[in-house]
Amino acid sequence: MSDLSEKILGELTKTDSIDTLELSKTFGQDHQKIVGALKSIEAHGNLLVVEPQTHKYFELTAEGKLIAENGSHEALIYQAIPENGMLQVKVNKLPNSKIGFSKALAAGWIHLDKSTGQAIVKKKVQSIEDKVQTNLLLIADGEISKLNDKDKQEYKKRKLIQEVTIKSFLLKKGPEFSLVLPKLETDLTADMIASGNWKNLKFKEYNFEALGAPPDSGFLHPLLKVRAEFRQIFLEMGFTEMPTNNFVENSFWNFDALFQPQQHPARDAHDTFFISEPKISTDFPSEYLERVKTVHSIGGYGSIGYRYNWKIEEAQKNLLRTHTTAVSARMLYKLAQEKEFKPTKLFSIDRVFRNETLDATHLAEFHQVEGVIADYNLNLGNLIGIISEFFKKLNITQLEFKPAYNPYTEPSMEIFCFHPGLKKWIEIGNSGIFRPEMLLPMGLPEDVNVIAWGLSLERPTMIKYGFNNIRDLVGPRVDLEMVQKNPLCRLDK
Ligand code: FB9
């Protein structure tokens, strides 16, 4: 039992009743602490009879405290007047003159001398007694009973004192009074019921407000929560997830199959992580590879190609995939091998790797989110439409599309939205229609078009969860408590 509860019970052996305010003074404890100990005693049974009390008393306002400390406005004006007086215009500039001058005049402490033609304020008495200050000090000491009602009314009117109501409790011995708090049982056991002993025991009140013990469980990282939300959006839009469980890719599928020329800057070691072991891949569909080589080097399908000496050694180089579009290429080639073309909607959300300059929002890897649709006679309007539908599910509706360039799509568009939270236009992705030089060598029918768009997982997650630095979201510096405490992810809110 807390010793404060014991001390309260002990006080009731010395007197029949006591108020909690008195106990607060006796024990030098805050009144709220006394009330808390009282609630604890009441939880143990009827040891006390508790009667709520209301006390009204006066306390000094902030201005009242200033006067109690420094003297009343009128007293300060009186003390500021020198023996030979002070011009009234000067008195009016004194800090307390607004109230003090008229009250000092009314109290007969000062008077106005206009005999010289100028209004001069002079003392009328040799000394004064600052009754207001004296009375306010009495109130501060709880001796307001020494004041008359007229003064009290005046100080209330001048807002020097205010009435305060405080609730307290008058305590008396109850029917189950004891100096010791009975032990409260917290569990009702089978033995207690079988023996009937429960009838003689006191049980702790059940606290229905208590929060449940936090479950010992794992916690999902914000990125994975956002990934789940994006995955749900794709699934409800009828997309099928692509198998992206290969971080290591080869240059053929990552670049050549996408009609990205071998001399493209993105293909050098400054932008791409090449793998030293195993350094190369050699297993490619040979006929398809030949068609890719041709379309790069001399063109075909209506294209003049890039007209360079395409080298298989370049295509064989293994790397960490720079985009999940490499997987899209593999899936579209596979689709083209089917006996009959079927319209298909595919998506992927997985890690990609780029040898980029690191900064507060960019690491050498990120998660790419990609949607791909293959169907007959698709056009830019379809692409804009599906992108709009996708972002509408993220509650993003104010979209703008800006012409852009990708080696493997033509036309291409950057996607922008006006973000209401950030109050500015932000880039939210990229998109385009895959080029015929990419699709036709795969063997897809000529009237099949493939539209696609992509974005990252990190940018929306950082915005959603309010991160400014990517290293607070991913990497060794992440605060694991953030993972445990961050809220549910609702992208549509
Ligand atoms: O995610 C990006 N921005 C974004 C996305 C969503 C979002 O949601 C908020 C709640 C409102 C906020 C921001 N971006 C793409 C745009 C920029 O962040 C950009 O600076 C970074 N980009 C990454 C690549 O940068 C090297 C984001 C990543 C990206 C860019 C392009 C694609 C995928 C990811 C693509 C593609 C593509 C194009 C055509 C065909 C197939 C795929």
Side-chain angles (χ1 to χ4, degrees), residues 217-229 363 367 457-458 461-462 465 467 469-489:
S217 71
F219 300 85
L220 276 178
H221 188 279
L223 267 185
L224 301 183
K225 291 179 182 175
V226 175
R227 184 179 69 176
E229 291 296 301
L363 291 175
H367 286 75
L457 206 55
E458 283 77 5
T461 304
M462 286 177 73
Y465 285 93
F467 288 102
N469 191 314
I470 185 78
R471 287 162 187 73
D472 295 331
L473 181 68
V474 290
R477 260 180 37 192
V478 164
D479 164 16
L480 283 185
E481 261 202 28
M482 173 280 289
V483 178
Q484 292 163 4
K485 292 208 162 80
N486 68 73
L488 280 176
C489 170

Side-chain angles (χ1 to χ4, degrees), residues 230 323-325 328 352 354 356 361-362 366-372 391 394 396 406 408-409 412-413 415 417 419 422 426-434 451-461 463-464 491:
F230 275 124
H323 48 196
T324 48
T325 320
S328 307
V352 296
R354 298 190 186 179
E356 281 193 329
T361 57
H362 288 86
F366 65 91
H367 286 75
Q368 179 171 341
V369 178
E370 181 164 328
V372 179
F391 280 106
L394 303 180
I396 296 172
N406 292 318
Y408 40 88
T409 53
S412 310
M413 301 179 298
I415 312 162
C417 86
H419 191 277
L422 303 174
I426 56 169
E427 184 187 347
I428 57 172
N430 193 302
S431 63
I433 301 180
F434 284 127
I451 57 177
W453 76 99
L455 61 150
S456 73
L457 206 55
E458 283 77 5
R459 291 296 292 135
T461 304
I463 290 173
K464 186 84 205 157
L491 290 181

